Every structure is written in C-alpha cells, then in structure tokens.
C-alpha cells in the first residue's frame, strides 16, 4: 500500500473536468485506488464518488493505492495534479 497527501491549489477545487481527468488517468490500473477527504474515502475510479467529496481549494486529500501497480498509480496521479494545476 502506498499513500500520498496533496494540497489542492486549483481555485475551483476538484470539479467535474479535473475529476474526469483523474479517473481517466488511472482507469487501466489494477490496483484499488481511493481518495480521502475529511475522513470520507471514495473509489478514485468513480467520477461520482470523487465529485461527492466536494473538494475545495486549500483542501488536503490523501490518495491511497493498494495492489501490484500501486507505484504506477501515484505516478499517474502526480502527473495529473501537476499538468492540470490541481495541487502539489
């Protein structure tokens, strides 16, 4: 299991478009992947789940990956966070 905490820097937070990009980036991985915000954890492969968290600017979120390609998951999420200007 690997985890990483991100601080959301996008003024809009994680809304529909970036949520779609995040979900799409990890679509092909076999690991279980979750995103956690305010003690609520949802499957990062679910757009509706991610949207249900209502993640605003300044929020700290944790991405958790469990499985054979968990390191690849974090690389994909890191890339999306940087290219989409979502967080660090």
């Amino acid at each position: 299991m690997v985890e990483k905490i991100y601080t959301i820097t996008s003024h809009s937070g994680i809304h529909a478009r970036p949520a779609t990009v995040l979900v799409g980036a990890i679509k092909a991985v076999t690991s279980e992947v979750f995103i956690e915000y305010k003690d609520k954890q949802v499957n990062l492969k679910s757009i509706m789940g991610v949207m249900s968290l209502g993640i605003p600017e300044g929020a700290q979120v944790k991405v958790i990956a469990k499985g054979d390609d968990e390191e690849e998951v974090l690389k994909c999420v890191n890339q999306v966070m940087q290219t989409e200007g979502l967080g660090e």
Side-chain angles (χ1 to χ4, degrees):
M1 180 175 82
V2 294
E3 301 178 350
K4 182 159 183 186
I5 295 175
Y6 295 92
T7 300
I8 304 305
T9 57
S10 170
H11 296 299
S12 303
I14 298 182
H15 55 87
R17 191 187 60 72
T20 302
V21 175
L22 270 171
V23 170
I26 62 161
K27 190 175 185 178
V29 302
T30 58
S31 293
E32 292 182 301
V33 188
F34 303 95
I35 187 167
E36 185 177 295
Y37 173 62
K38 286 191 172 180
D39 297 323
K40 188 173 177 187
Q41 193 177 87
V42 299
N43 188 333
L44 189 54
K45 294 180 181 180
S46 165
I47 293 171
M48 294 306 291
V50 175
M51 294 295 300
S52 75
L53 295 176
I55 302 168
E57 177 185 15
Q60 286 200 322
V61 298
K62 183 190 299 183
V63 174
I64 305 155
K66 304 173 189 173
D68 294 335
D69 54 1
E70 57 195 25
E71 294 294 335
E72 183 64 29
V73 170
L74 286 187
K75 287 179 188 174
C76 291
V77 173
N78 283 335
Q79 183 175 358
V80 170
M81 288 289 188
Q82 289 177 359
T83 58
E84 295 294 316
L86 290 178
E88 48 192 36

